[in-house]
Amino acid sequence: MLANKTALVTGSTSGIGLGIAKALARQGANIVLNGFGDVEGPKAEIAALGAQVAYHGADMSKPNEIEAMMAYAATEFGRVDILVNNAGIQHVARIEAFPVARWDAIVAINLSSAFHATRLALPAMQAANWGRIINVASVHGLVGSSEKSAYVAAKHGVVGLTKVTALENATSGVTCNAICPGWVLTPLVQKQVDAKAAALGISNDDAKNLLLGEKEPSMQFTTPEELGELAVFFCSPAGANVRGVAWNMDGGWAAQ
């Protein structure tokens, strides 16, 4: 379905981003990966699906590096047809104790990077009259949680950016939507599980159930594979008039 299309997925060397990149690769898209840590492993996983794959290590807190990444993608594959803004970090603390540097970093990586990548991707999408911008927000783009002020503020901002991007391109073939996952067992969430297990002196499995029980009625983690299939739907002909939605895949979290 996505043959001859190119997808750039930020924060895609693991977790949700890699799951989405693999789902798009299965549909024939060229993939540009971005992120830290192991790079060769994810590249090999994408290549094994028969897709062409490239990588750029842009630091998503730095606009000049985002510009370099977008230029690199255009040089490699012509243009970015599908942009998935997924890069994100987290820090947990009460507002009065929240380190200012951590606030700035979270807003830069979770929100501002999506703006910069979007503004750079739009002209080529508009010229082609086809494009898909998919912002990975969070259920925290819809509801709040204590001690996550920066993350919740940034993800609410991502949902707002999604709506404006969709509206500004509403009469074109360019769409923009947000995916709002609940708990996904990524390395980011596993750290919270480990911390809860250590703090309460319980097993990792019990800590997982406690985490799910606090927020997610289904008592199931959403998987990167499920999120990837939702991204594929947004890119399909069936998603052509889905515009500006914040689609929560959260096991009922926001329904409470």
mmCIF file of all heavy atoms in Angstrom, residues 205-238:
data_model
loop_
_atom_site.group_PDB
_atom_site.id
_atom_site.type_symbol
_atom_site.label_atom_id
_atom_site.label_comp_id
_atom_site.label_asym_id
_atom_site.label_seq_id
_atom_site.Cartn_x
_atom_site.Cartn_y
_atom_site.Cartn_z
ATOM 1 N N ASP A 205 6.036 -8.250 38.306
ATOM 2 C CA ASP A 205 4.692 -8.538 37.805
ATOM 3 C C ASP A 205 3.630 -7.846 38.651
ATOM 4 O O ASP A 205 2.652 -7.304 38.117
ATOM 5 C CB ASP A 205 4.440 -10.047 37.773
ATOM 6 C CG ASP A 205 5.134 -10.733 36.604
ATOM 7 O OD1 ASP A 205 5.533 -10.026 35.653
ATOM 8 O OD2 ASP A 205 5.283 -11.962 36.642
ATOM 9 N N ASP A 206 3.804 -7.870 39.976
ATOM 10 C CA ASP A 206 2.848 -7.198 40.854
ATOM 11 C C ASP A 206 2.875 -5.685 40.621
ATOM 12 O O ASP A 206 1.835 -5.016 40.661
ATOM 13 C CB ASP A 206 3.156 -7.510 42.324
ATOM 14 C CG ASP A 206 2.753 -8.926 42.717
ATOM 15 O OD1 ASP A 206 1.977 -9.547 41.970
ATOM 16 O OD2 ASP A 206 3.232 -9.413 43.764
ATOM 17 N N ALA A 207 4.075 -5.146 40.360
ATOM 18 C CA ALA A 207 4.197 -3.714 40.088
ATOM 19 C C ALA A 207 3.486 -3.350 38.788
ATOM 20 O O ALA A 207 2.837 -2.296 38.691
ATOM 21 C CB ALA A 207 5.662 -3.302 40.026
ATOM 22 N N LYS A 208 3.589 -4.212 37.773
ATOM 23 C CA LYS A 208 2.883 -3.982 36.505
ATOM 24 C C LYS A 208 1.375 -3.947 36.730
ATOM 25 O O LYS A 208 0.673 -3.057 36.231
ATOM 26 C CB LYS A 208 3.236 -5.069 35.487
ATOM 27 C CG LYS A 208 4.637 -4.980 34.916
ATOM 28 C CD LYS A 208 4.915 -6.154 33.982
ATOM 29 C CE LYS A 208 6.354 -6.127 33.471
ATOM 30 N NZ LYS A 208 6.656 -7.318 32.644
ATOM 31 N N ASN A 209 0.867 -4.915 37.486
ATOM 32 C CA ASN A 209 -0.568 -4.969 37.748
ATOM 33 C C ASN A 209 -1.041 -3.765 38.551
ATOM 34 O O ASN A 209 -2.141 -3.250 38.316
ATOM 35 C CB ASN A 209 -0.926 -6.268 38.475
ATOM 36 C CG ASN A 209 -0.836 -7.489 37.570
ATOM 37 O OD1 ASN A 209 -1.038 -7.383 36.361
ATOM 38 N ND2 ASN A 209 -0.534 -8.641 38.142
ATOM 39 N N LEU A 210 -0.193 -3.309 39.463
ATOM 40 C CA LEU A 210 -0.537 -2.136 40.254
ATOM 41 C C LEU A 210 -0.612 -0.900 39.363
ATOM 42 O O LEU A 210 -1.530 -0.089 39.473
ATOM 43 C CB LEU A 210 0.502 -1.944 41.367
ATOM 44 C CG LEU A 210 0.119 -1.063 42.550
ATOM 45 C CD1 LEU A 210 -1.116 -1.597 43.261
ATOM 46 C CD2 LEU A 210 1.285 -0.981 43.537
ATOM 47 N N LEU A 211 0.367 -0.779 38.465
ATOM 48 C CA LEU A 211 0.411 0.356 37.542
ATOM 49 C C LEU A 211 -0.828 0.363 36.644
ATOM 50 O O LEU A 211 -1.485 1.398 36.479
ATOM 51 C CB LEU A 211 1.685 0.281 36.694
ATOM 52 C CG LEU A 211 2.113 1.532 35.943
ATOM 53 C CD1 LEU A 211 2.655 2.582 36.911
ATOM 54 C CD2 LEU A 211 3.188 1.197 34.912
ATOM 55 N N LEU A 212 -1.164 -0.797 36.077
ATOM 56 C CA LEU A 212 -2.335 -0.901 35.212
ATOM 57 C C LEU A 212 -3.620 -0.638 35.995
ATOM 58 O O LEU A 212 -4.518 0.061 35.520
ATOM 59 C CB LEU A 212 -2.393 -2.289 34.566
ATOM 60 C CG LEU A 212 -1.352 -2.583 33.485
ATOM 61 C CD1 LEU A 212 -1.315 -4.080 33.172
ATOM 62 C CD2 LEU A 212 -1.650 -1.802 32.211
ATOM 63 N N GLY A 213 -3.680 -1.189 37.188
ATOM 64 C CA GLY A 213 -4.893 -1.068 37.992
ATOM 65 C C GLY A 213 -5.223 0.352 38.391
ATOM 66 O O GLY A 213 -6.389 0.696 38.599
ATOM 67 N N GLU A 214 -4.204 1.193 38.486
ATOM 68 C CA GLU A 214 -4.425 2.590 38.858
ATOM 69 C C GLU A 214 -5.142 3.373 37.759
ATOM 70 O O GLU A 214 -5.852 4.343 38.047
ATOM 71 C CB GLU A 214 -3.077 3.274 39.151
ATOM 72 C CG GLU A 214 -2.384 2.803 40.416
ATOM 73 C CD GLU A 214 -0.956 3.329 40.506
ATOM 74 O OE1 GLU A 214 -0.515 4.032 39.574
ATOM 75 O OE2 GLU A 214 -0.283 3.028 41.500
ATOM 76 N N LYS A 215 -4.940 2.989 36.490
ATOM 77 C CA LYS A 215 -5.375 3.840 35.378
ATOM 78 C C LYS A 215 -6.140 3.110 34.276
ATOM 79 O O LYS A 215 -7.036 3.672 33.665
ATOM 80 C CB LYS A 215 -4.153 4.510 34.731
ATOM 81 C CG LYS A 215 -3.320 5.388 35.667
ATOM 82 C CD LYS A 215 -3.994 6.703 35.974
ATOM 83 C CE LYS A 215 -3.064 7.638 36.745
ATOM 84 N NZ LYS A 215 -3.716 8.921 37.066
ATOM 85 N N GLU A 216 -5.763 1.858 33.973
ATOM 86 C CA GLU A 216 -6.174 1.234 32.708
ATOM 87 C C GLU A 216 -7.141 0.078 32.957
ATOM 88 O O GLU A 216 -6.731 -1.017 33.363
ATOM 89 C CB GLU A 216 -4.930 0.747 31.945
ATOM 90 C CG GLU A 216 -5.195 0.466 30.496
ATOM 91 C CD GLU A 216 -4.026 0.821 29.569
ATOM 92 O OE1 GLU A 216 -3.102 1.545 29.990
ATOM 93 O OE2 GLU A 216 -4.052 0.383 28.424
ATOM 94 N N PRO A 217 -8.455 0.292 32.750
ATOM 95 C CA PRO A 217 -9.455 -0.718 33.087
ATOM 96 C C PRO A 217 -9.240 -2.079 32.419
ATOM 97 O O PRO A 217 -9.616 -3.108 32.981
ATOM 98 C CB PRO A 217 -10.774 -0.079 32.617
ATOM 99 C CG PRO A 217 -10.525 1.387 32.722
ATOM 100 C CD PRO A 217 -9.082 1.559 32.323
ATOM 101 N N SER A 218 -8.668 -2.089 31.237
ATOM 102 C CA SER A 218 -8.475 -3.363 30.541
ATOM 103 C C SER A 218 -7.443 -4.252 31.217
ATOM 104 O O SER A 218 -7.385 -5.455 30.944
ATOM 105 C CB SER A 218 -8.025 -3.113 29.093
ATOM 106 O OG SER A 218 -6.709 -2.568 29.071
ATOM 107 N N MET A 219 -6.607 -3.663 32.077
ATOM 108 C CA MET A 219 -5.497 -4.384 32.735
ATOM 109 C C MET A 219 -4.550 -5.006 31.710
ATOM 110 O O MET A 219 -3.936 -6.033 31.945
ATOM 111 C CB MET A 219 -6.028 -5.446 33.698
ATOM 112 C CG MET A 219 -6.760 -4.891 34.900
ATOM 113 S SD MET A 219 -5.715 -3.832 35.959
ATOM 114 C CE MET A 219 -4.602 -5.052 36.666
ATOM 115 N N GLN A 220 -4.444 -4.365 30.558
ATOM 116 C CA GLN A 220 -3.537 -4.819 29.502
ATOM 117 C C GLN A 220 -2.696 -3.652 29.019
ATOM 118 O O GLN A 220 -3.214 -2.544 28.845
ATOM 119 C CB GLN A 220 -4.320 -5.365 28.294
ATOM 120 C CG GLN A 220 -5.191 -6.558 28.554
ATOM 121 C CD GLN A 220 -5.995 -6.916 27.308
ATOM 122 O OE1 GLN A 220 -5.463 -6.962 26.204
ATOM 123 N NE2 GLN A 220 -7.286 -7.156 27.485
ATOM 124 N N PHE A 221 -1.423 -3.922 28.781
ATOM 125 C CA PHE A 221 -0.579 -2.936 28.113
ATOM 126 C C PHE A 221 -0.947 -2.898 26.629
ATOM 127 O O PHE A 221 -1.168 -3.938 26.013
ATOM 128 C CB PHE A 221 0.907 -3.302 28.240
ATOM 129 C CG PHE A 221 1.475 -3.093 29.612
ATOM 130 C CD1 PHE A 221 1.652 -4.159 30.476
ATOM 131 C CD2 PHE A 221 1.840 -1.825 30.036
ATOM 132 C CE1 PHE A 221 2.175 -3.973 31.744
ATOM 133 C CE2 PHE A 221 2.373 -1.616 31.296
ATOM 134 C CZ PHE A 221 2.534 -2.691 32.167
ATOM 135 N N THR A 222 -1.035 -1.688 26.065
ATOM 136 C CA THR A 222 -1.108 -1.542 24.610
ATOM 137 C C THR A 222 0.259 -1.908 24.040
ATOM 138 O O THR A 222 1.281 -1.672 24.682
ATOM 139 C CB THR A 222 -1.482 -0.094 24.241
ATOM 140 O OG1 THR A 222 -2.737 0.225 24.847
ATOM 141 C CG2 THR A 222 -1.592 0.089 22.740
ATOM 142 N N THR A 223 0.298 -2.489 22.846
ATOM 143 C CA THR A 223 1.571 -2.919 22.267
ATOM 144 C C THR A 223 2.011 -1.979 21.147
ATOM 145 O O THR A 223 1.168 -1.346 20.486
ATOM 146 C CB THR A 223 1.467 -4.343 21.696
ATOM 147 O OG1 THR A 223 0.598 -4.323 20.544
ATOM 148 C CG2 THR A 223 0.922 -5.321 22.734
ATOM 149 N N PRO A 224 3.316 -1.882 20.904
ATOM 150 C CA PRO A 224 3.794 -1.101 19.757
ATOM 151 C C PRO A 224 3.211 -1.596 18.433
ATOM 152 O O PRO A 224 2.986 -0.804 17.511
ATOM 153 C CB PRO A 224 5.310 -1.296 19.802
ATOM 154 C CG PRO A 224 5.607 -1.536 21.254
ATOM 155 C CD PRO A 224 4.440 -2.358 21.749
ATOM 156 N N GLU A 225 2.941 -2.906 18.351
ATOM 157 C CA GLU A 225 2.378 -3.469 17.124
ATOM 158 C C GLU A 225 0.961 -2.929 16.881
ATOM 159 O O GLU A 225 0.589 -2.597 15.745
ATOM 160 C CB GLU A 225 2.357 -4.998 17.209
ATOM 161 C CG GLU A 225 3.715 -5.664 17.160
ATOM 162 C CD GLU A 225 4.519 -5.517 18.457
ATOM 163 O OE1 GLU A 225 3.926 -5.282 19.538
ATOM 164 O OE2 GLU A 225 5.764 -5.627 18.387
ATOM 165 N N GLU A 226 0.174 -2.828 17.946
ATOM 166 C CA GLU A 226 -1.186 -2.280 17.807
ATOM 167 C C GLU A 226 -1.141 -0.817 17.366
ATOM 168 O O GLU A 226 -1.915 -0.394 16.497
ATOM 169 C CB GLU A 226 -1.929 -2.412 19.138
ATOM 170 C CG GLU A 226 -2.289 -3.846 19.500
ATOM 171 C CD GLU A 226 -2.714 -4.017 20.935
ATOM 172 O OE1 GLU A 226 -2.489 -3.099 21.768
ATOM 173 O OE2 GLU A 226 -3.268 -5.086 21.257
ATOM 174 N N LEU A 227 -0.235 -0.070 17.957
ATOM 175 C CA LEU A 227 -0.094 1.343 17.578
ATOM 176 C C LEU A 227 0.371 1.477 16.137
ATOM 177 O O LEU A 227 -0.061 2.380 15.413
ATOM 178 C CB LEU A 227 0.873 2.039 18.535
ATOM 179 C CG LEU A 227 0.423 2.060 20.003
ATOM 180 C CD1 LEU A 227 1.554 2.517 20.903
ATOM 181 C CD2 LEU A 227 -0.793 2.942 20.202
ATOM 182 N N GLY A 228 1.232 0.562 15.713
ATOM 183 C CA GLY A 228 1.694 0.564 14.324
ATOM 184 C C GLY A 228 0.559 0.340 13.339
ATOM 185 O O GLY A 228 0.495 0.986 12.289
ATOM 186 N N GLU A 229 -0.356 -0.553 13.686
ATOM 187 C CA GLU A 229 -1.488 -0.817 12.789
ATOM 188 C C GLU A 229 -2.430 0.380 12.718
ATOM 189 O O GLU A 229 -3.040 0.640 11.669
ATOM 190 C CB GLU A 229 -2.236 -2.075 13.242
ATOM 191 C CG GLU A 229 -1.446 -3.367 13.041
ATOM 192 C CD GLU A 229 -0.967 -3.555 11.613
ATOM 193 O OE1 GLU A 229 -1.754 -3.332 10.663
ATOM 194 O OE2 GLU A 229 0.217 -3.907 11.424
ATOM 195 N N LEU A 230 -2.560 1.129 13.818
ATOM 196 C CA LEU A 230 -3.360 2.354 13.771
ATOM 197 C C LEU A 230 -2.706 3.382 12.853
ATOM 198 O O LEU A 230 -3.394 4.055 12.074
ATOM 199 C CB LEU A 230 -3.543 2.922 15.176
ATOM 200 C CG LEU A 230 -4.369 4.210 15.290
ATOM 201 C CD1 LEU A 230 -5.736 4.066 14.634
ATOM 202 C CD2 LEU A 230 -4.505 4.622 16.750
ATOM 203 N N ALA A 231 -1.389 3.482 12.914
ATOM 204 C CA ALA A 231 -0.674 4.391 12.009
ATOM 205 C C ALA A 231 -0.890 3.983 10.550
ATOM 206 O O ALA A 231 -1.088 4.845 9.678
ATOM 207 C CB ALA A 231 0.821 4.393 12.339
ATOM 208 N N VAL A 232 -0.870 2.681 10.275
ATOM 209 C CA VAL A 232 -1.128 2.199 8.915
ATOM 210 C C VAL A 232 -2.531 2.613 8.468
ATOM 211 O O VAL A 232 -2.734 3.056 7.326
ATOM 212 C CB VAL A 232 -0.957 0.667 8.840
ATOM 213 C CG1 VAL A 232 -1.512 0.105 7.524
ATOM 214 C CG2 VAL A 232 0.521 0.290 8.984
ATOM 215 N N PHE A 233 -3.518 2.501 9.353
ATOM 216 C CA PHE A 233 -4.881 2.924 9.014
ATOM 217 C C PHE A 233 -4.911 4.401 8.632
ATOM 218 O O PHE A 233 -5.542 4.780 7.640
ATOM 219 C CB PHE A 233 -5.832 2.667 10.183
ATOM 220 C CG PHE A 233 -7.139 3.401 10.054
ATOM 221 C CD1 PHE A 233 -8.083 3.007 9.110
ATOM 222 C CD2 PHE A 233 -7.419 4.506 10.845
ATOM 223 C CE1 PHE A 233 -9.284 3.702 8.965
ATOM 224 C CE2 PHE A 233 -8.611 5.201 10.708
ATOM 225 C CZ PHE A 233 -9.548 4.796 9.772
ATOM 226 N N PHE A 234 -4.227 5.252 9.412
ATOM 227 C CA PHE A 234 -4.205 6.679 9.082
ATOM 228 C C PHE A 234 -3.622 6.917 7.690
ATOM 229 O O PHE A 234 -3.990 7.891 7.021
ATOM 230 C CB PHE A 234 -3.390 7.458 10.116
ATOM 231 C CG PHE A 234 -4.075 7.658 11.445
ATOM 232 C CD1 PHE A 234 -3.320 7.699 12.612
ATOM 233 C CD2 PHE A 234 -5.442 7.818 11.543
ATOM 234 C CE1 PHE A 234 -3.926 7.897 13.846
ATOM 235 C CE2 PHE A 234 -6.056 8.018 12.773
ATOM 236 C CZ PHE A 234 -5.304 8.049 13.935
ATOM 237 N N CYS A 235 -2.712 6.057 7.264
ATOM 238 C CA CYS A 235 -2.053 6.209 5.957
ATOM 239 C C CYS A 235 -2.850 5.568 4.819
ATOM 240 O O CYS A 235 -2.500 5.754 3.649
ATOM 241 C CB CYS A 235 -0.661 5.590 5.996
ATOM 242 S SG CYS A 235 0.481 6.426 7.118
ATOM 243 N N SER A 236 -3.887 4.824 5.147
ATOM 244 C CA SER A 236 -4.648 4.092 4.137
ATOM 245 C C SER A 236 -5.703 4.976 3.492
ATOM 246 O O SER A 236 -6.039 6.049 4.012
ATOM 247 C CB SER A 236 -5.338 2.887 4.794
ATOM 248 O OG SER A 236 -6.454 3.322 5.569
ATOM 249 N N PRO A 237 -6.274 4.551 2.366
ATOM 250 C CA PRO A 237 -7.374 5.305 1.762
ATOM 251 C C PRO A 237 -8.547 5.510 2.734
ATOM 252 O O PRO A 237 -9.228 6.528 2.686
ATOM 253 C CB PRO A 237 -7.781 4.436 0.563
ATOM 254 C CG PRO A 237 -6.529 3.708 0.193
ATOM 255 C CD PRO A 237 -5.843 3.413 1.503
ATOM 256 N N ALA A 238 -8.764 4.546 3.639
ATOM 257 C CA ALA A 238 -9.859 4.666 4.608
ATOM 258 C C ALA A 238 -9.642 5.818 5.582
ATOM 259 O O ALA A 238 -10.594 6.335 6.163
ATOM 260 C CB ALA A 238 -10.017 3.359 5.383
#
